[in-house]
Structure formats: structure tokens, C-alpha cells
Amino acid sequence: MLEAAQSATSTIEPTPPRLTVSLSRSYEPTLRNVMTVRVKLVSPLPPPAGGIARWTALVMRYARSQSTIRISLLNTALRLRSVTQTSPLARISAGIPQILRCTFSLAQGLARRQVDVVHINCSGQFGIARDLVLATLARLFRVPVVIHIRFGRVPVVLKSDGYEGLLLRRLLAKVNATIAIDSKTANALREHCPGLPVSLIPNCIDTPDWSPRAESEEFGKYVLFAGWLIRAKGIEELLAAWRELHIDGWNLVLAGTYDVAYLDALGLRPGTDSTITVLGEVEHERLMSLMAGCEIFVLPSHTEGFPNSVLEAMSLGRAVIACDVGAIGDMLSEDCGVTVPPRDSAKLGQSIAVLMADSDMRAKLGANAALRAKTLYSLPAVFDQYRALWEHLADRHY
């Protein structure tokens, strides 16, 4: 099992973050360049908590200290349905009012000439319809659009004939540039959309000098899962793997929003398993304390983009086990963590058991992960890549 876990970390070669927009000339300061670029960011902001929402809060907070960038938000956070209501009917009934609200808000800013660049975070599925409407509106006002691809299924979706593939291809035809957060997505975009500028830019992490207080006394040695407790996050595979381990002295802590009926269906009623604790949604500060105190962080999602929770766990020097989807293979390569196939509870359980039994391996993976987070994914370095793209597009616009 140890060999399986070790080999899983080297299945994908690391891809360093880079800005791949090809500038036609050297980037000399112009009147437009030295002025503030006004970015309309179409993205969710908590509540509810989520990786993209935390990225939004982080980037907007950092932008307030930058004199050349001003970001205003068009908030796309869920309001009319819960995170567990994922049926097509629920998505459509909640999505139509959101499209109308977002369209009206963006039209106001564009008509008043208050926007230089529109930056849209695209998480796929029915949300692409909203993104297509907003991108089309921006193009009518001749304002450049950046689509930031936030889901890892793009290579498959671009080849499909379903509604998602059709909408995504139409959306990409409307935009001026794209941002991919993993190498597989970047390669698929370049293959299917020749001529469209594609930037490969990772997510970012703020690594302050202070360290969160480790919260470990209450749970002893524990494995932490942080995310929505839904099927797509691999919670069923995680529970199946955990219930087969039979290792004394360890606990599983689940932190994230959940639906009570689904929790009951999973057999997670209070008192049913003394080794599993369900905390529900927790404040970000406490989540960081939970991460700092855990021995292993696990995220067995079926699909991901560039998960902030994995990045945060890496920055805190935790040993990470996650499914090889989206950017996770890039993030955890070169002995920075362990990747397993999605929907494979047996492999997941084997990897958890290996790391439980080997404290040296946990320490090695955590140290490598912390170094990578600090050098490749720091907030200032990544934000500079966003800034370069926004300024380039705004300069061409004017």
C-alpha cells in the first residue's frame, strides 16, 4: 500500500504557473496603463462558503491595496436554492431570476462606462447560460471579457454534444481571453479554440506570518474533510473507506454545509459512530485551526477545479489525499500529496491507512506541500498575473 500511495504522487508532471497571453509589443506604460483599471468581477461571495467564494473575498481584499486595479463585484452566490438542491428543476428555477438580476446590474455599469474589463468565474453546468448572457452583453458595449474556467471537466465537455458543451463553445466564441487553472483544461482550450488567448494561472493563497492555532485536543488524531457534504464531493466513498479501516485512536471530522435528510441517509445520525464527527459549516478562522491540527486532509471529489481547501491545507503543511481531478494532479505532484482515482473507495482507504501508519511520510508530504504553496501560489505573485491580463485587455480596449 505504501508503494501505491507513493507512486500516486508522481503521475502528473508539475506545470508552473505562467501567463501565456502573447503581447504584440513590449508593455510600455501608456495613459491607460497608469490609470486605474476597473474590473467587474462576476463571482460568488460568502455565504454560502465555498472555494470560489473564498477566492473572491481574498482577491477583492488584496485589490483594495492596489492603486492600479479597482474591482467591483457582481455577486453570483446561491440565494434561491441550497447547495444540496441540485436537480435540473431547482437549478433552472433559481437560475432564471439570477440571470435577470445579473444582466440588469451589469447593463447599468456598462451603460455608465464604469467597467473596463469583465471577469467571469465560470463553474459550468447551467451557470454557463448566465455567463453567456453576460459575455454577450459586454460585447455589445465593446468591453473585453475574461472567462475564468473553474471546473475540471472541460476536456470532456468540449467534445460533448450535450447542452453544457454547446453552451461552453458558444461562450468561448464571445470572450477575449480565458484563464485555465489546470494544464489539462488549458491544453483542451488551445486545441478546441485556436487563436483564443489562454492563460494558465493557479489559484492563490494568502500566507501571512501568523499561524492558526491547531485545534486537536477535542478530536485527538484526526482526518479532516472540508467541503459541502454532497455526493459530488465524494463523501459516500470517504465514509465507505473509513468504515473499513478499523484503526483505533483516529477520528474523522467532517466540516461543511449539509442537508439533514442526506445526512440521515448516510447513516450519520448523532451517536451512530463515535469515530465520526459532523461539525456542519464553520467559520473560516476555525476551519484553518481544524486544518492546522489535523494529521491528514482528504478531499475525494468527483470533479474539482483548483480547490482552495487543498491549497490551504498545503500551505499549513498538512499531508493531503485527494482525487486526481482538475488541477489536483498538478498541485500534489512531486511528493506534495497523494492522489487517488475518483469514486474508488478501496484506493482511498488504502492511502488513508498508509499515511495513518507513517508519520515520517506525513511530515515529508506536508513540508513539500508548504514549500510549493509559498513559492508558486502566493497571493502577490498570482495577482500580478491577473493584473497583467486585465491591463493588457483594457489597454487594447482603449
Side-chain angles (χ1 to χ4, degrees), residues 351-374:
S351 296
I352 294 174
V354 166
L355 290 191
M356 280 179 166
D358 193 335
S359 60
D360 289 340
M361 186 177 182
R362 295 198 303 269
K364 175 186 175 182
L365 294 176
N368 291 344
L371 179 61
R372 170 166 288 187
K374 182 178 181 180

Side-chain angles (χ1 to χ4, degrees), residues 6-319:
Q6 289 174 323
S7 64
T9 65
S10 59
T11 56
I12 296 180
E13 290 300 316
T15 304
R18 61 188 185 279
L19 179 65
T20 58
V21 172
S22 177
L23 303 182
S24 58
R25 55 179 174 79
S26 60
Y27 203 68
E28 297 294 335
T30 66
L31 179 62
R32 176 69 252 168
N33 300 339
V34 299
M35 293 174 65
T36 300
V37 176
R38 301 164 300 177
V39 179
K40 177 63 73 173
L41 179 60
V42 182
S43 189
L45 192 68
I52 301 176
R54 292 205 300 274
W55 173 92
T56 304
L58 182 66
V59 167
M60 291 191 66
R61 184 170 65 249
Y62 186 78
R64 286 195 285 270
S65 67
Q66 307 299 301
S67 60
T68 60
I69 299 292
R70 185 168 75 240
I71 297 178
S72 60
L73 180 68
L74 184 51
N75 192 354
T76 59
L78 294 176
R79 290 293 182 266
L80 299 179
R81 68 176 177 91
S82 72
V83 298
T84 59
Q85 293 175 315
T86 57
S87 69
L89 180 59
R91 289 178 181 274
I92 292 172
S93 60
I96 291 176
Q98 186 188 70
I99 289 176
L100 295 175
R101 176 181 59 82
C102 290
T103 301
F104 178 75
S105 178
L106 180 59
Q108 282 187 315
L110 293 170
R112 294 170 181 169
R113 298 180 180 273
Q114 296 173 338
V115 180
D116 299 318
V117 177
V118 175
H119 183 124
I120 302 175
N121 275 320
C122 178
S123 54
Q125 297 185 337
F126 290 103
I128 304 177
R130 175 202 62 219
D131 301 337
L132 177 58
V133 170
L134 299 180
T136 301
L137 179 62
R139 289 296 296 268
L140 289 175
F141 284 87
R142 300 183 182 278
V143 173
V145 179
V146 180
I147 285 292
H148 199 155
I149 303 292
R150 292 293 190 161
F151 61 105
R153 296 175 291 104
V154 170
V156 175
V157 170
L158 282 176
K159 295 178 181 178
S160 74
D161 296 324
Y163 80 91
E164 196 175 18
L166 176 63
L167 287 173
L168 182 58
R169 289 189 291 272
R170 289 188 176 180
L171 174 61
L172 293 172
K174 296 286 185 181
V175 305
N176 302 87
T178 61
I179 296 176
I181 54 179
D182 67 275
S183 55
K184 295 176 186 176
T185 295
N187 292 336
L189 289 170
R190 291 172 183 137
E191 177 184 351
H192 289 270
C193 308
L196 178 65
V198 178
S199 302
L200 179 55
I201 306 177
N203 274 2
C204 49
I205 184 73
D206 190 11
T207 52
D209 294 333
W210 60 270
S211 298
R213 178 182 60 84
E215 185 169 325
S216 57
E217 294 181 3
E218 181 179 355
F219 306 112
K221 284 187 175 183
Y222 62 97
V223 176
L224 176 66
F225 166 92
W228 295 344
L229 272 65
I230 57 177
R231 182 174 288 107
K233 290 294 183 180
I235 191 68
E236 295 176 15
E237 290 83 4
L238 176 57
L239 291 174
W242 183 261
R243 287 162 175 162
E244 292 294 324
L245 287 177
H246 305 296
I247 296 180
D248 294 331
W250 284 77
N251 294 284
L252 174 64
V253 177
L254 309 175
T257 302
Y258 62 84
D259 178 78
V260 174
Y262 183 57
L263 212 63
D264 288 344
L266 294 174
L268 289 178
R269 283 182 177 272
T272 55
D273 189 333
S274 61
T275 69
I276 302 177
T277 301
V278 181
L279 297 178
E281 185 173 344
V282 299
E283 294 292 332
H284 188 254
E285 183 176 349
R286 190 189 178 195
L287 179 59
M288 293 300 95
S289 294
L290 287 166
M291 280 191 179
C294 76
E295 296 290 333
I296 302 168
F297 179 79
V298 60
L299 188 70
S301 300
H302 301 169
T303 179
E304 282 288 351
F306 198 113
N308 273 34
S309 58
V310 169
L311 188 50
E312 288 165 340
M314 291 174 66
S315 74
L316 293 172
R318 301 299 88 194

Side-chain angles (χ1 to χ4, degrees), residues 331-352:
M331 299 169 74
L332 299 184
S333 62
E334 296 192 329
D335 289 335
C336 289
V338 176
T339 59
V340 297
R343 299 181 175 88
D344 192 331
S345 60
K347 291 284 182 63
L348 178 61
Q350 289 173 4
S351 296
I352 294 174

